[in-house]
Amino acid sequence: MNRFPITLLTLAGLSVGVGLAQTSPITLALVQELVRTVTVNGKTSEALTPAPKSVVPGDLVRQQLTATNTSDRPINRVVLKLPVPEHATYIAVERSDVPGEVRTEFSADGGKTFGLAPLKKTVLITENGQSVHKEVTVPPSDYTTVRWTLNQLPARAQATVGFRMRVD
């Protein structure tokens, strides 16, 4: 079985938007963990291996992004984007640890457009010999980027968002 380095994503692929600020008072930290199901004394639970050196196809990886407001003032409308790495398939969003309200949206076109789940797209199909446009649901496995919009990130506060993915 081939093993791949865990260089699934570096901070270069992340982005944060805080309006028109020139320098961001927000710092980002990315954590990737290998998720394994283990059974101990008849009880099944998950074991997390932080920063695994390599993964194999089929492995489940949890990816979490923590944004920290390093300033002494709240920041309104913080946008965090986290792409699904190449050679991985999006599985599900993780429970977020975010102060206040957050809107989670998804993209299936590399982060060009976003929408709430389930995503829809229009495809051209042939029905009864006629070409017709039809709206279809995009499967989550086709999601390429996840975006979280926080109404506000309080002063000196943190917000953690993330998702799980399967290595292809």
Side-chain angles (χ1 to χ4, degrees), residues 3 9 44 55 60 65 71 77 121 130 135 137 143:
R3 296 194 72 78
L9 185 69
T44 302
V55 293
L60 184 63
L65 177 64
S71 76
R77 194 167 150 58
K121 69 178 178 181
Q130 298 284 326
E135 186 176 77
T137 300
Y143 294 177

Side-chain angles (χ1 to χ4, degrees), residues 9 13-18 26 28-31 62-67 76-85 90 92-107 114-116 143-153 159-165:
L9 185 69
L14 307 177
S15 67
V16 60
V18 290
I26 295 179
L28 300 176
L30 177 67
V31 175
R62 179 170 86 164
Q63 183 162 264
Q64 290 189 305
L65 177 64
T66 298
N76 294 323
R77 194 167 150 58
V78 175
V79 179
L80 303 169
K81 287 194 286 188
L82 189 56
V84 177
Y90 171 87
V93 76
E94 283 277 304
R95 193 187 95 230
S96 297
D97 182 11
V98 175
E101 295 181 31
V102 63
R103 178 181 174 101
T104 306
E105 298 173 294
F106 304 89
S107 174
F114 287 87
L116 296 172
Y143 294 177
T144 59
T145 310
V146 183
R147 177 174 75 184
W148 296 266
T149 303
L150 289 63
N151 284 347
Q152 185 181 81
L153 185 57
T160 300
V161 296
F163 59 81
R164 289 179 179 221
M165 59 192 167

Side-chain angles (χ1 to χ4, degrees), residues 2-160:
N2 292 334
R3 296 194 72 78
F4 300 100
I6 191 67
T7 313
L8 294 173
L9 185 69
T10 63
L11 286 176
L14 307 177
S15 67
V16 60
V18 290
L20 300 174
Q22 293 288 4
T23 59
S24 177
I26 295 179
T27 61
L28 300 176
L30 177 67
V31 175
Q32 293 174 324
E33 298 170 304
L34 181 62
V35 180
R36 297 270 188 222
T37 302
V38 295
T39 303
V40 178
N41 297 328
K43 292 188 178 184
T44 302
S45 63
E46 288 185 343
L48 302 174
T49 303
K53 294 193 186 320
S54 63
V55 293
V56 296
D59 279 349
L60 184 63
V61 176
R62 179 170 86 164
Q63 183 162 264
Q64 290 189 305
L65 177 64
T66 298
T68 303
N69 179 355
T70 62
S71 76
D72 291 323
R73 64 178 179 77
I75 300 173
N76 294 323
R77 194 167 150 58
V78 175
V79 179
L80 303 169
K81 287 194 286 188
L82 189 56
V84 177
E86 189 175 343
H87 306 298
T89 300
Y90 171 87
I91 300 294
V93 76
E94 283 277 304
R95 193 187 95 230
S96 297
D97 182 11
V98 175
E101 295 181 31
V102 63
R103 178 181 174 101
T104 306
E105 298 173 294
F106 304 89
S107 174
D109 60 9
K112 294 177 188 149
T113 61
F114 287 87
L116 296 172
L119 286 180
K120 303 284 187 183
K121 69 178 178 181
T122 302
V123 296
L124 184 62
I125 62 169
T126 303
E127 283 184 353
N128 300 322
Q130 298 284 326
S131 293
V132 294
H133 289 92
K134 186 172 186 178
E135 186 176 77
V136 297
T137 300
V138 177
S141 59
D142 287 351
Y143 294 177
T144 59
T145 310
V146 183
R147 177 174 75 184
W148 296 266
T149 303
L150 289 63
N151 284 347
Q152 185 181 81
L153 185 57
R156 304 285 174 198
Q158 290 185 331
T160 300

